[in-house]
Amino acid sequence: MKVVIIGGVATGPKVAARLRRLSPEADITVIDKGSIVSYGSCGLPLFLGNLVPKIEDLRKTSAGLVRDTQYFDGTKGIKVLTQTEALAIDRAKKKVKVRSLEKGEVWELDYDYLVLATGTKEVKPPIPGLEAQNVFTVRHLDAAAQIRDLIREKKVKHATIIGAGLIGIEVADALNSPRLKVMLCESQPRVLAKLLDPDIALLVEDKMLKRGVDLRLNCRVQKLEKDEEGKVCGVVINDEKIATDLVIVAVGGQPEVALAREAGLTIGETGAIQVNQRMQTDDPFIYAGGDCVEQINTVTGHKTFVPLASTANKQGRVIADNIAGIPSEFPAISATTAFQAFDLNVGRTGLGEAQAKELGFEVLTSISTGLDAAHFYPVHGAVTLKLIAEKATGRLLGAQVCGIGEAIKRLDVLATVLKFKGTIKDIQGLDLSYAPPFATAIDVLIHAANTWENKQKGVVETITPFELMEMLNRKENITLVDVREPEETKANPVQGANTVVIPLGELRKRYEEIPQDSHVITVCELGIRGYDAACFLQSKFPRVGFLEGGMSTWGALGYKLGK
Ligand SMILES: Cc1cc2nc3c(=O)[nH]c(=O)nc-3n(C[C@H](O)[C@H](O)[C@H](O)COP(=O)(O)OP(=O)(O)OC[C@H]3O[C@@H](n4cnc5c(N)ncnc54)[C@H](O)[C@@H]3O)c2cc1C
């Protein structure tokens, strides 16, 4: 059996390796346009930030062997042709026409099964000057190595990143230092617009600003300017010229489907290759997987395009199984995505709030913050969770997390609940582990579900940070009651609103200091004391609510109000 695999980064090598285990006799050839195959592109920002010391580390197996052509040939018996481009597929003759990019030779490879693992192609925004030197994308090892060399040679004092999506932010974190000023330009009014709801994205934005990133939102990059040597030396944004030494374009990619399209295979509504659950295209002898194919969303059942290495690798295994004669299907995805930047662990799974509403769900959300470990354990951090669920039934539709604490453990539990069509009640009933280093006695995730249920049952009014901001903008008659301890208030005062400060322990004696005729909104650090305070004040005042997530979420909005 002859198997040709086009694309050698994540999906392709995964298909090849699994197939080799299942079919020792199969003749497997992987071809790639690039000179390096099978590397962890997800680790490129870590390399830029010096957390991965050498670029070769991204090419190694866990046993320390570099996955180069010799490794694939010698250890796996897989032929890998680098700098070899697939030009066309002849489906009738089951041949792929290929060309050596080094020597220019053109020849044909026969196949019994063909696998398309062509990934994405870079999107180049129409900005004049992108051809200048020191303008990069962060997709390939050589570009990352060049960027790090420039920084090490102290040739870069100012870097401009275009695009505040996941990769732009990871790279901003990697480069940002007292010696290197990072300017992050985003055309949207907020960061991470495709990934997170505004309230959670704002937490990341706030952290970046506090770390000194020059964040330019609603920013139109008009052109790049170059010096007499052809190196980029300036960027013009919103008619302002800013000197810069390095530009990184991180505006995303599009599925690479040219070969598939020309071969007459169906391209789906998302622009990626359409496959069935066995990862077959509409030619049963041609499989496709990874960043070039579309998937099905777990919650909606609709087609979606979410390019991720986790999906790519799992699809690679399914393809290999099917070629080897083991029936295998790839399920729907929840688009579960995680990243770490500016010490925050951030992620999402399922639908965002706006997306769920657009799809016609009647949605109730809650935001709550708690600790990832017992407060008396030496290492603990806050985690903010947003739950998005169907109001009437409590069916989980999506979730987003952010915090310096262990947020991703909770995200993965939520992704599991989502997968099994679970509800808020199911989360409340989860038998999660507890010991002080790992959780609080009621895990922050269960606390989040309890908060959602309280909100659904109307135990007490809750106000989201954005609702509070709108109330303040409308100049509503509000009294914010800060129930934290004096030192907490001093260290992190409520910005952008007038407050009455009464620590929770004194509230029962001093509540009469609060004006009777206003809408009382209690605030604390994480939301828990604010909730307690609101429950008490409900019996004393006509309208009382508490700020969801407390200062942990409101702090991010302070500067928006022009503090
Ligand atoms: C900086 C960065 C960070 C990331 N972080 C994460 C993360 O944390 N988590 C996560 O899940 N995902 C992450 N991703 C996404 C992840 O890297 C991709 O989902 C994954 O690489 C997809 O693998 P693939 O093999 O399908 O496609 P690709 O990695 O795009 O590889 C496709 C290969 O096919 C080759 N090719 C295309 N056409 C031809 C042709 N005609 N002939 C020959 N060769 C061809 C290309 O040259 C390329 O080498 C990140 C990506 C980047 C760039």
Side-chain angles (χ1 to χ4, degrees):
M1 175 172 63
K2 283 190 178 172
V3 179
V4 174
I5 300 166
I6 306 173
V9 177
T11 315
K14 180 65 201 174
V15 175
R18 169 85 175 153
L19 188 58
R20 170 52 71 239
R21 290 180 201 119
L22 299 176
S23 304
E25 302 307 323
D27 175 350
I28 306 170
T29 305
V30 178
I31 67 169
D32 199 291
K33 287 189 286 196
S35 52
I36 298 172
V37 290
S38 193
Y39 57 88
S41 41
C42 312
L44 289 173
L46 300 175
F47 168 75
L48 290 177
N50 292 318
L51 284 166
V52 172
K54 293 194 204 121
I55 200 88
E56 293 76 45
D57 296 337
L58 299 176
R59 302 178 61 197
K60 285 182 181 164
T61 65
S62 51
L65 301 170
V66 174
R67 291 187 301 252
D68 54 14
T69 49
Q70 288 83 2
Y71 165 81
F72 277 102
D73 192 15
T75 311
K76 302 265 178 193
I78 295 166
K79 208 179 302 156
V80 175
L81 305 176
T82 56
Q83 301 208 47
T84 305
E85 183 177 19
L87 301 176
I89 303 164
D90 183 337
R91 286 169 54 193
K93 292 189 181 143
K94 289 180 136 186
K95 286 179 191 297
V96 186
K97 190 195 225 182
V98 299
R99 176 176 59 201
S100 160
L101 297 178
E102 274 176 307
K103 298 179 187 153
E105 286 167 15
V106 175
W107 73 101
E108 287 180 330
L109 293 171
D110 295 329
Y111 66 82
D112 295 305
Y113 290 101
L114 178 66
V115 178
L116 301 176
T118 48
T120 47
K121 61 181 176 199
E122 283 158 9
V123 172
K124 291 218 167 137
I127 301 171
L130 275 187
E131 73 291 347
Q133 287 172 45
N134 298 352
V135 178
F136 299 95
T137 54
V138 187
R139 287 176 52 83
H140 299 292
L141 298 186
D142 46 358
Q146 283 178 53
I147 295 168
R148 204 164 85 169
D149 286 347
L150 285 171
I151 293 168
R152 286 203 164 159
E153 290 159 16
K154 301 196 172 53
K155 288 186 177 159
V156 182
K157 294 204 165 52
H158 184 281
T160 300
I161 299 168
I162 303 174
L166 184 157
I167 292 173
I169 288 179
E170 281 186 341
V171 173
D173 179 32
L175 301 190
N176 186 52
S177 80
R179 285 186 291 109
L180 200 169
K181 184 78 185 165
V182 171
M183 179 170 76
L184 183 55
C185 301
E186 170 57 54
S187 60
Q188 300 287 314
R190 62 192 183 88
V191 303
L192 295 160
K194 286 192 197 146
L195 198 71
L196 297 178
D197 288 348
D199 33 24
I200 301 299
L202 206 61
L203 307 182
V204 183
E205 194 178 316
D206 184 51
K207 197 72 187 275
M208 284 197 288
L209 291 169
K210 285 180 179 147
R211 290 287 181 85
V213 173
D214 180 7
L215 180 62
R216 308 286 181 117
L217 298 174
N218 296 306
C219 170
R220 197 164 53 92
V221 178
Q222 288 155 289
K223 65 172 173 174
L224 305 184
E225 296 196 335
K226 49 190 170 189
D227 62 17
E228 54 286 356
E229 290 174 47
K231 290 184 190 144
V232 71
C233 64
V235 53
V236 180
I237 53 168
N238 301 341
D239 296 325
E240 180 190 2
K241 182 182 164 184
I242 292 161
T244 199
D245 311 304
L246 171 75
V247 172
I248 294 175
V249 182
V251 298
Q254 280 173 352
E256 175 55 89
V257 298
L259 275 176
R261 179 178 278 127
E262 279 156 30
L265 301 174
T266 303
I267 307 302
E269 64 209 58
T270 65
I273 302 169
Q274 186 177 294
V275 287
N276 61 19
Q277 282 192 288
R278 293 171 58 118
M279 306 307 301
Q280 272 168 320
T281 64
D282 34 26
D283 181 331
F285 300 102
I286 304 181
Y287 288 80
D291 281 10
C292 61
V293 303
E294 56 185 22
Q295 308 92 14
I296 293 170
N297 182 290
T298 319
V299 183
T300 63
H302 299 168
K303 294 282 170 58
T304 185
F305 173 63
V306 185
L308 285 171
S310 47
T311 302
N313 279 282
K314 284 179 274 184
Q315 291 181 336
R317 181 183 162 94
V318 169
I319 293 171
D321 281 359
N322 284 316
I323 293 176
I326 302 171
S328 180
E329 292 192 343
F330 183 76
I333 60 157
S334 303
T336 309
T337 309
F339 72 96
Q340 191 176 57
F342 300 94
D343 297 333
L344 292 173
N345 302 308
V346 189
R348 71 105 196 257
T349 188
L351 305 181
E353 181 178 349
Q355 199 186 359
K357 285 178 178 163
E358 270 164 32
L359 287 162
F361 288 105
E362 202 191 334
V363 168
L364 181 74
T365 69
S366 69
I367 300 178
S368 56
T369 303
L371 298 181
D372 66 346
H375 64 276
F376 51 79
Y377 186 70
V379 186
H380 58 264
V383 173
T384 298
L385 291 111
K386 176 169 182 175
L387 299 183
I388 301 145
E390 211 172 21
K391 189 173 181 185
T393 63
R395 177 189 162 198
L396 189 69
L397 300 171
Q400 306 194 355
V401 301
C402 180
I404 55 167
E406 181 41 280
I408 305 308
K409 166 177 156 179
R410 280 78 197 187
L411 179 72
D412 282 341
V413 175
L414 286 162
T416 311
V417 172
L418 201 65
K419 161 94 184 169
F420 293 105
K421 305 200 184 314
T423 62
I424 296 291
K425 262 274 169 277
D426 292 325
I427 300 171
Q428 290 175 300
L430 288 174
D431 184 13
L432 300 180
S433 60
Y434 166 63
F438 309 116
T440 48
I442 291 184
D443 189 82
V444 58
L445 174 54
I446 293 177
H447 166 63
N450 292 343
T451 305
W452 190 95
E453 189 194 50
N454 284 342
K455 196 166 166 176
Q456 187 209 35
K457 290 192 168 15
V459 172
V460 64
E461 186 192 7
T462 66
I463 319 287
T464 69
F466 274 99
E467 284 166 351
L468 177 57
M469 188 171 80
E470 280 162 22
M471 286 173 175
L472 290 167
N473 283 339
R474 288 196 298 265
K475 303 208 180 325
E476 286 185 17
N477 183 12
I478 293 167
T479 304
L480 283 185
V481 180
D482 183 348
V483 297
R484 292 173 297 166
E485 295 304 307
E487 57 276 18
E488 290 176 279
T489 302
K490 201 172 155 202
N492 184 19
V494 182
Q495 303 282 356
N498 294 327
T499 51
V500 174
V501 181
I502 309 176
L504 184 61
E506 297 172 25
L507 196 61
R508 281 167 201 277
K509 284 189 212 131
R510 292 178 50 195
Y511 69 87
E512 280 166 338
E513 292 172 27
I514 302 167
Q516 260 294 338
D517 57 345
S518 65
H519 184 178
V520 176
I521 299 173
T522 59
V523 185
C524 67
E525 201 59 35
L526 304 180
I528 300 159
R529 285 170 289 171
Y531 168 53
D532 265 353
C535 288
F536 164 67
L537 292 173
Q538 274 190 131
S539 59
K540 312 290 178 196
F541 293 87
R543 191 160 176 209
V544 180
F546 78 98
L547 179 64
E548 289 183 37
M551 287 300 288
S552 69
T553 53
W554 177 247
L557 281 171
Y559 76 88
K560 288 265 169 195
L561 286 173
K563 62 183 177 186

